[in-house]
Amino acid sequence: TPATQDRFLTLLQEHRKILHSVSAAYCRDAAERQNLVQDMVVQLWRSFGRYDERYRFSTWMYRIALNVAISFVRSERRRARVSVPLEEALMETVAAPEPPSTDQDFLRLQRFIDQLGEMDRALIALHLDGNRYDAIAEVLGLSETNVGTKLNRIKQKLREWARAEESGG
């Protein structure tokens, strides 16, 4: 219905940063990131009828976006793309934000993230978006303690990786 579509577009607009941060965590190529965002939007729309408003939209959106991103990365061969017509308003809603940074520290962090496993990438993407441990735990189905432990391990890996990179190892 038009009301459902309007509600979806409003929520998508409010939370579109989630799509871009998740796609940036899983893809470096701009065209691939845009394809991934489109895949996420399609899946969000297909699933919107099952969204339970008792839960935060951002949590539901993160779950779907991360599942789509992980599936996207897992597929080693490019599948024939099935085009799903989306209205222009929908694509304008998720238009790409400013171009990625060329700051050296940012680029180093991206290289590090590229080396992480799927769950750690999801964790760090949620953390870098400024989500609290309880929100990260809810999205990923972990305890808050487990989120803290995993983030501390990732930070330790980052410190070790940075030392090794600086020493040329």
Side-chain angles (χ1 to χ4, degrees):
T1 67
T4 301
Q5 185 176 2
D6 289 346
R7 174 90 173 116
F8 177 74
L9 289 173
T10 299
L11 289 167
L12 189 63
Q13 175 65 31
E14 289 173 13
H15 300 283
R16 72 175 185 253
K17 177 183 170 225
I18 291 170
L19 300 177
H20 296 292
S21 62
V22 170
S23 67
Y26 286 87
C27 295
R28 292 294 159 248
D29 179 73
E32 278 191 0
R33 277 195 310 273
Q34 189 58 36
N35 286 338
L36 179 54
V37 167
Q38 288 177 6
D39 288 352
M40 289 177 202
V41 170
V42 168
Q43 190 56 46
L44 286 163
W45 174 245
R46 286 179 179 161
S47 303
F48 190 63
R50 294 185 301 276
Y51 167 59
D52 184 343
E53 297 210 17
R54 291 178 297 174
Y55 302 99
R56 293 186 313 204
F57 183 80
S58 61
T59 300
W60 177 81
M61 187 175 189
Y62 265 120
R63 283 184 178 159
I64 290 177
L66 287 167
N67 284 333
V68 171
I70 289 169
S71 295
F72 185 86
V73 168
R74 282 183 180 166
S75 67
E76 292 182 323
R77 66 187 196 298
R78 293 287 173 234
R79 60 198 185 284
R81 300 195 72 76
V82 177
S83 177
V84 176
L86 296 175
E87 293 189 19
E88 282 186 32
L90 187 59
M91 293 319 298
E92 288 172 9
T93 300
V94 295
E98 66 279 348
S101 173
T102 56
D103 176 89
Q104 289 305 308
D105 288 336
F106 179 78
L107 295 174
R108 287 178 71 203
L109 180 60
Q110 277 188 326
R111 285 194 310 273
F112 173 74
I113 291 171
D114 288 346
Q115 297 175 23
L116 297 175
E118 293 168 356
M119 177 61 85
D120 287 349
R121 270 191 200 196
L123 239 167
I124 201 72
L126 290 163
H127 179 67
L128 291 173
D129 271 354
N131 289 288
R132 296 185 343 225
Y133 285 16
D134 62 334
I136 296 170
E138 186 178 352
V139 169
L140 298 178
L142 302 171
S143 69
E144 285 183 54
T145 303
N146 202 348
V147 167
T149 300
K150 286 180 175 291
L151 281 173
N152 283 333
R153 287 180 183 154
I154 291 169
K155 289 174 186 176
Q156 182 60 36
K157 279 185 200 175
L158 176 59
R159 284 189 287 275
E160 291 168 6
W161 180 81
R163 279 194 296 271
E165 189 179 69
E166 287 171 4
S167 67

